[in-house]
Amino acid sequence: MTHVRRIPMAAPAAALTAAVLVGTLGPAAPASSAEQARPAAAERGSVRSIVVPGTDRAARELSARRTAPFSMVGLTWSDSHAQLGGTAQVRVRDRATGAWTAWRELELDVRTPETGPDSTDAGVRAGTQPLWTGPADGVQARVRGASGNASTLPRGLRVELVDPTAAPATTSGARTADPAKTALAAAAVTPAPQPTILPRSAWGANEALVKDPATYTKETKAVFVHHTAGTNTYTCADSPSIVNGIFLYHVQSQGWNDIGYQFLVDKCGTIFEGRAGGVDKPVLGAQTYGFNTDTTGVAVLGNYNDVTSTPEVLASVSAVAAWKLGLYGYDPSSTVVLTAAASNGKFTAGQQVTMNRISGHRDGYPTECPGNNLYADLPTIRTLAVQ
């Protein structure tokens, strides 16, 4: 039996979509006194929070203002179990040109995990997906409740500005599997080879921010494929900083213990280790609300409602899935019955659901993730995973 191997990483592709810029505003508000910085480490990035003023439960706005430099933005709120129920939009000031971008929607499908160290109410905040903006030094935000509902906006709204820095990605120190663990894979399925996975040090993880050790489940029964949404205009040289930015947002802005995804893949096919605990171990993640137990999440950087998957993406996602499922003797083309650990708007707690071993986020949760184009590629990914 042969197995798919990751296509060698291509040179960083040109940006897929140019950011739409509009004319500069008049004098922007100065950096707010409500802007609070929480440095992760001098060389590993920082997060700044700006309180969205007002008490209107139907519509709120953060006026345009200059800020300290950042490259990623998101919106969080106090109640870790509340959902926004409307829309959140931001635009930012390009640090190089001083021009303001068009308004961009923030994805709202993030949920506080139902179990594990990220599920505690102490300091945990709900929020949007973070949006990679590239170098920026100004922000404006507007948040609207659902039409016809005047009390939909949650309390404690904050705009989160993430300034990530990360070491260049290299294959030095790439993660390898524990041979003893690999030997435990069931003989019914020949284990696929482990693809090259860049370790957390390659994207500059500040391990001091991870307060609790990893939580482990029994096995990996299924793999959920995600997209991170946001922008597709990044270069692959930006990928380590994007991964670090997601980590800082999950940990410092939302109060999670660690980055939610176990693996992340960029459009050039580079695979990054996500949540700590061992790439070959069944680490409990925070990636598919209701189905985090005994599953792994692989997130592709970008918005796959807007672009199609590269061959490198398909090869890398299938390689990770084949390897992780093979460690436990599972055929990537088969199905599995999973039990919902929480009611999530699609399934009720305790409900048993038959899913593909390689499924999309939307198969377990009411969301557009992983985007229509990447979701349509899942049959191809399953086929590649068994070759």
Side-chain angles (χ1 to χ4, degrees):
M1 177 183 248
T2 59
H3 298 278
V4 64
R5 295 180 182 273
R6 184 171 72 86
I7 296 174
M9 187 175 74
L16 299 179
T17 309
V20 181
L21 299 181
V22 297
T24 57
L25 295 176
S32 169
S33 60
E35 183 177 336
Q36 299 177 341
R38 297 188 302 284
E43 74 284 5
R44 297 181 186 177
S46 63
V47 178
R48 289 176 169 81
S49 300
I50 307 176
V51 173
V52 179
T55 58
D56 191 331
R57 300 299 298 279
R60 304 271 290 282
E61 183 163 337
L62 180 73
S63 60
R65 66 195 58 214
R66 297 289 295 277
T67 67
F70 65 94
S71 295
M72 180 174 282
V73 62
L75 181 76
T76 66
W77 49 92
S78 301
D79 185 344
S80 63
H81 298 291
Q83 293 180 278
L84 194 139
T87 61
Q89 297 178 314
V90 295
R91 62 175 181 166
V92 303
R93 183 181 186 273
D94 185 279
R95 197 187 312 173
T97 67
W100 288 78
T101 66
W103 288 101
R104 297 288 305 277
E105 294 273 350
L106 296 175
E107 297 284 337
L108 303 176
D109 64 3
V110 181
R111 289 288 297 276
T112 299
E114 74 278 8
T115 187
D118 313 280
S119 62
T120 176
D121 287 334
V124 176
R125 297 174 62 83
T128 67
Q129 288 276 17
L131 171 70
W132 178 258
T133 63
D137 61 3
V139 68
Q140 183 178 8
R142 59 190 184 194
V143 190
R144 301 288 183 268
S147 177
N149 187 342
S151 61
T152 188
L153 292 183
R155 301 183 188 278
L157 292 171
R158 291 193 326 213
V159 172
E160 310 284 351
L161 307 178
V162 184
D163 180 23
T165 57
T170 74
T171 56
S172 176
R175 296 296 192 198
T176 57
D178 179 346
K181 179 69 175 178
T182 303
L184 293 175
V189 174
T190 303
Q194 181 190 325
T196 299
I197 302 169
L198 297 190
R200 289 163 62 89
S201 59
W203 49 264
N206 181 0
E207 304 296 359
L209 295 177
V210 181
K211 302 303 181 185
D212 295 312
T215 299
Y216 296 96
T217 60
K218 293 181 180 180
E219 56 184 335
T220 300
K221 294 180 178 179
V223 174
F224 284 105
V225 178
H226 304 255
H227 71 171
T228 60
T231 184
N232 301 302
T233 62
Y234 70 91
T235 68
C236 292
D238 292 327
S239 299
S241 290
I242 295 173
V243 175
N244 191 38
I246 295 171
F247 166 76
L248 293 173
Y249 182 81
H250 284 175
V251 173
Q252 293 202 290
S253 296
Q254 294 195 265
W256 294 5
N257 189 57
D258 199 349
I259 191 171
Y261 310 111
Q262 286 94 334
F263 301 93
L264 300 97
V265 175
D266 72 7
K267 61 190 176 185
C268 291
T270 305
I271 305 169
F272 296 91
E273 177 184 15
R275 178 159 290 215
V279 293
D280 61 330
K281 294 180 172 59
V283 176
L284 178 68
Q287 40 89 20
T288 301
Y289 183 74
F291 296 98
N292 284 308
T293 300
D294 292 337
T295 67
T296 282
V298 181
V300 182
L301 305 185
N303 188 327
Y304 284 83
N305 276 326
D306 297 339
V307 297
T308 57
S309 309
T310 65
E312 291 83 2
V313 163
L314 300 179
S316 291
V317 173
S318 63
V320 171
W323 171 65
K324 285 293 289 186
L325 293 169
L327 290 175
Y328 299 92
Y330 294 126
D331 180 348
S333 65
S334 65
T335 59
V336 59
V337 176
L338 300 177
T339 302
S343 298
N344 64 11
K346 189 178 181 76
F347 302 108
T348 58
Q351 184 175 352
Q352 292 191 315
V353 185
T354 299
M355 296 189 192
N356 289 298
R357 293 278 181 191
I358 302 175
S359 286
H361 187 188
R362 67 174 64 175
D363 291 318
Y365 183 79
T367 174
E368 290 188 352
C369 182
N372 291 334
N373 295 320
L374 184 53
Y375 188 78
D377 286 328
L378 292 183
T380 299
I381 289 171
R382 295 182 197 112
T383 298
L384 290 170
V386 297
Q387 289 181 347

